[in-house]
């Protein structure tokens, strides 16, 4: 918050500002990828085609990657060669051609995918940045109303919006300082073109803001700036509505690929494993269900999120609260427990998994035939216990890591709802030529909601501490904004402080514009929620109920099928070792049931259980991204809630189904002594 609260320091070098921004705000995946590309370029330098160089260069520049196109292709080719070498070595060691085939397919996929990774990173970058576009236009228009200086307006935006868009705006200033562009207008024009295919309304709004620079009439200038904000608001609403209408088809495809088809495959897998146990190994199924399918579903989900248009983020308290509550501890029913969420998750895992861990310890220490023991009922329920421990451990970790923040976020969101009314009132007071300090005092007296406490604290700081307006609001020790970590409130107060240096009338006009913006955003958000209600509720049902219930039933059916087929195989084997007459009856039939190669119910349940947790995780990320955009608090809440509920339902359904089906199958499975 200190960075947000600070004034724009134009005496500092933008180059240093940009480098600081880049170092602090870029995700770790950027720096890791850059390091890998540079290393690959030294080990295995390549010279790609000129057309490939030009295409990749654009993505590298827009994604703020400090690498060369040559290093991108060096990394891709070197990784592919290493994948081929490792595949050949593994296939020779294990004498398995399936490994060779899977490895070669993976190598080909890497060869095509890795050169496109800069483009993929740019897509993710722009998807996250789009949530701040409306806010960026708002800040530009407000700043330009009282200070028609585009460079200062861009610096103001860079200081008051979240990454990654803030880095883009700081890069504009850096490019001007390093003489890449002769003026901020030229830099802005080129930057606007990069958004042409992503958000044309954002481009139109930037053009209007630049047009206002050349308008001499104050009233006409304000109309142009208001029009710039109106254009992006209307465009955002139209694109959100269009996104909501088109969302059903990709989500249905995701549901079929990630839920329906895998579940159908799970139903027949026990039969396949029984009759083709020598060919269908358990690790083939693990590779398909726990690695390939989750990765495919995740990438399809991220493609869906990449099409999500610009939103309107108004509350961003995660990073602020992470700094404020940096000491370890979680809060349960307003009781502070000095245990980090990570440690609490580990404790839950160990507490729940201890019976299973003890069982497997004794099994490894004292059993002479572990493979047969894994077919026992105890092993199956021990595996279910492990899934429950993993799911609840991760679920409580995600939930408790943000539960206190979620309460603060909800409180701030409610304050922001009333803040738009108080902002309008404050703007009207200032347009009446009332000094800012007196206007704050009158709002504090008339406002009855919680936001009145903010205005009262500002007034008390000015009266009792004798501070100026900026310190009364933004001082790191006693400023009123410290208890209100809201991007909207913070930036609005910055506008008030900046505008108060010029005239109350300009500040009042800016506040009325902000109030109108907040109302428009609120309407768009409510409309978006209405349109997505059916889709999101369907996804919630899938994650919380449908997937764990179906998977639990499938596990019960698999245990039943494997038990019956194994019993029949043992019985037929007994006939072959009996009398000559009996042998004539059973000879050859036992070969149908490949008991020695049959996958155990324990392994099957473990694969299915992990898949349930993975799909719950991926769909939770997708659901949160669709509704809230990039919001760490909402995402972790969604993951925690869905993992906890989905795990409990899966454990209950799987256990009950196994017990019920075993009771039905008892007459068959107990024939073999």
């Amino acid at each position: 918050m200190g960075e947000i609260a600070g004034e724009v320091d134009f005496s500092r070098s933008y180059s240093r500002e940009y480098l600081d921004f880049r170092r602090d705000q870029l995700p770790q995946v950027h720096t890791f990828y850059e390091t890998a590309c540079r290393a690959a370029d030294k080990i295995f330098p390549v010279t790609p085609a000129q057309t490939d160089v030009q295409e990749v260069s654009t993505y590298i520049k827009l994604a703020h990657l400090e690498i060369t196109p040559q290093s991108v292709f060096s990394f891709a080719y070197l990784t592919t060669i290493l994948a081929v070498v490792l595949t050949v070595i593994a296939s020779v060691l294990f004498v398995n051609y399936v490994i060779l085939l899977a490895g070669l397919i993976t190598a080909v996929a890497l060869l095509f995918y890795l050169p496109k990774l800069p483009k993929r990173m740019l897509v993710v970058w722009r998807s996250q940045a789009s949530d701040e576009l409306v806010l960026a236009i708002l800040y530009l228009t407000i700043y330009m109303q009282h200070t028609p200086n585009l460079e200062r307006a861009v610096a103001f935006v860079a200081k008051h919006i979240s990454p990654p868009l803030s880095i883009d705006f700081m890069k504009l200033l850096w490019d001007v300082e390093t003489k890449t562009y002769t003026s901020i207008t030229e830099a802005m024009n080129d930057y606007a073109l990069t958004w042409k295919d992503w958000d044309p309304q954002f481009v139109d709004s930037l053009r209007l803001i630049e047009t206002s620079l050349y308008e001499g009439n104050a009233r006409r200038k304000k109309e142009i700036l208001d029009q710039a904000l109106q254009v992006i608001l209307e465009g955002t609403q139209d694109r959100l509505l269009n996104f909501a209408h088109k969302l059903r088809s990709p989500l249905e495809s995701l549901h079929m690929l990630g839920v329906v088809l895998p579940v159908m495959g799970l139903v027949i897998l026990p039969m396949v494993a029984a009759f083709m146990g020598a060919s269908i190994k358990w690790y083939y199924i693990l590779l398909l269900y726990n690695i390939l399918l989750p990765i495919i579903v995740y990438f399809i989900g991220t493609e869906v999120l990449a099409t999500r248009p610009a939103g309107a983020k108004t509350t961003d308290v995660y990073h602020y609260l992470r700094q404020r509550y940096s000491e370890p501890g979680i809060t349960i029913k307003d009781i502070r427990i000095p245990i980090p969420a990570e440690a609490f998750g580990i404790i839950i895992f160990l507490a729940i998994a201890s019976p299973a861990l003890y069982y497997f310890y004794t099994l490894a220490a004292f059993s002479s035939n572990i493979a047969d023991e894994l077919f026992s009922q105890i092993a199956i329920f021990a595996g279910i216990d492990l899934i429950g421990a993993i799911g609840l451990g991760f679920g409580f970790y995600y939930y408790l890591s943000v539960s206190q923040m979620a309460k603060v976020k909800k409180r701030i969101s409610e304050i922001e709802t009333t803040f738009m009314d108080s902002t309008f009132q404050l703007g009207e007071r200032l347009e009446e030529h009332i000094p800012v300090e007196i206007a704050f005092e009158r709002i504090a007296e008339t406002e009855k909601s919680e936001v009145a406490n903010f205005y009262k604290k500002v007034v008390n700081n000015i009266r009792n501490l004798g501070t100026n307006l900026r310190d009364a609001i933004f001082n790191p020790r006693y400023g009123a904004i410290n208890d209100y970590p809201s991007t909207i409130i913070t930036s609005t107060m910055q506008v008030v402080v900046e505008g108060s240096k010029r005239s109350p009338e300009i500040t009042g006009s800016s506040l009325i514009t902000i109030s109108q913006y907040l109302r428009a955003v609120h309407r768009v958000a409510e409309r978006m929620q209405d349109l997505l209600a059916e889709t999101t509720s369907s996804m919630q049902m899938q994650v919380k109920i449908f997937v764990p219930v179906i998977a639990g039933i499938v596990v019960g059916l698999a245990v039943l099928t494997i038990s019956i087929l194994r019993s029949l195989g043992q019985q037929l084997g007994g006939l072959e070792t009996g009398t000559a007459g009996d042998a004539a009856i059973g000879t050859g039939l036992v070969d149908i049931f490949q008991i020695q190669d049959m996958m155990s119910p324990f392994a099957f349940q473990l694969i299915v259980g992990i898949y349930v947790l993975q799909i719950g995780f991926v769909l939770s990320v997708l659901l949160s991204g669709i509704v809230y955009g990039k919001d760490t608090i909402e995402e972790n809440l969604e993951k925690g809630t869905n993992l906890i509920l989905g795990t409990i339902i899966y454990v209950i359904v799987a256990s009950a189904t196994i017990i019920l089906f075993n009771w039905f199958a008892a007459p068959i499975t107990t024939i073999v002594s």
Side-chain angles (χ1 to χ4, degrees), residues 1-7 159-160 470 474 486-487 490-491 494:
M1 291 291 291
E3 183 70 21
I4 290 176
E7 293 184 85
K159 286 286 187 179
H160 295 90
R470 173 171 290 279
F474 294 115
S486 164
T487 304
T490 301
S491 301
Q494 279 287 356

Side-chain angles (χ1 to χ4, degrees), residues 139-149 152-153 156 221 225 494-503 505-507 510:
Y139 295 158
L140 283 173
T141 57
I142 288 174
Y143 199 93
M144 292 287 288
Q145 284 183 11
H146 61 69
T147 307
N149 184 308
R152 287 178 174 267
F156 183 81
K221 181 189 293 287
L225 292 173
Q494 279 287 356
V495 171
V496 171
V497 172
E498 290 288 332
S500 64
K501 300 175 183 177
R502 292 160 180 83
S503 72
E505 295 84 355
I506 294 177
T507 307
S510 299

Side-chain angles (χ1 to χ4, degrees), residues 328-331 336-345 347:
I330 60 174
T331 301
R336 190 74 176 171
I337 302 176
I339 301 177
E342 297 88 343
F344 198 86
I347 291 172

Side-chain angles (χ1 to χ4, degrees), residues 68-226:
T68 64
Q70 289 77 13
S71 63
V72 171
F73 286 92
S74 295
F75 175 68
Y77 294 155
L78 182 61
T79 305
T80 302
I81 292 173
L82 290 176
V84 172
V85 172
L86 293 175
T87 296
V88 172
I89 294 174
S91 62
V92 171
L93 290 177
F94 294 99
V95 194
N96 193 318
Y97 292 106
V98 175
I99 295 177
L100 179 62
L101 178 63
L104 292 178
I105 293 174
T106 302
V108 173
L110 289 174
L111 183 60
F112 282 95
Y113 176 74
L114 290 179
K116 299 182 182 300
L117 198 54
K119 180 180 180 180
R120 176 68 192 171
M121 297 175 76
L122 176 62
V123 169
V124 175
W125 179 284
R126 285 289 167 94
S127 177
Q128 296 175 3
S130 65
D131 278 339
E132 300 285 341
L133 293 181
V134 181
L135 215 52
I137 294 297
L138 172 68
Y139 295 158
L140 283 173
T141 57
I142 288 174
Y143 199 93
M144 292 287 288
Q145 284 183 11
H146 61 69
T147 307
N149 184 308
L150 188 57
E151 184 174 349
R152 287 178 174 267
V154 170
F156 183 81
V157 172
K159 286 286 187 179
H160 295 90
I161 60 175
S162 304
L165 192 61
S166 58
I167 304 177
D168 282 355
F169 276 81
M170 187 54 66
K171 179 68 161 53
L172 294 175
L173 300 170
W174 182 73
D175 285 340
V176 174
E177 185 171 294
T178 56
K179 307 304 179 182
T180 303
Y181 297 101
T182 58
S183 66
I184 190 65
T185 304
E186 182 184 353
M188 184 73 80
N189 287 335
D190 273 7
Y191 177 67
L193 291 176
T194 66
W195 281 95
K196 185 176 181 181
D197 296 329
W198 296 75
D199 195 328
Q201 287 77 25
F202 177 64
V203 178
D204 294 340
S205 296
L206 289 179
R207 300 287 191 225
L208 287 170
I209 291 172
E210 290 180 15
T211 302
S212 69
L213 287 170
Y214 309 105
E215 179 58 56
N217 185 280
R219 184 183 61 81
R220 178 58 183 158
K221 181 189 293 287
K222 185 179 184 306
E223 290 177 355
I224 293 174
L225 292 173
D226 290 344

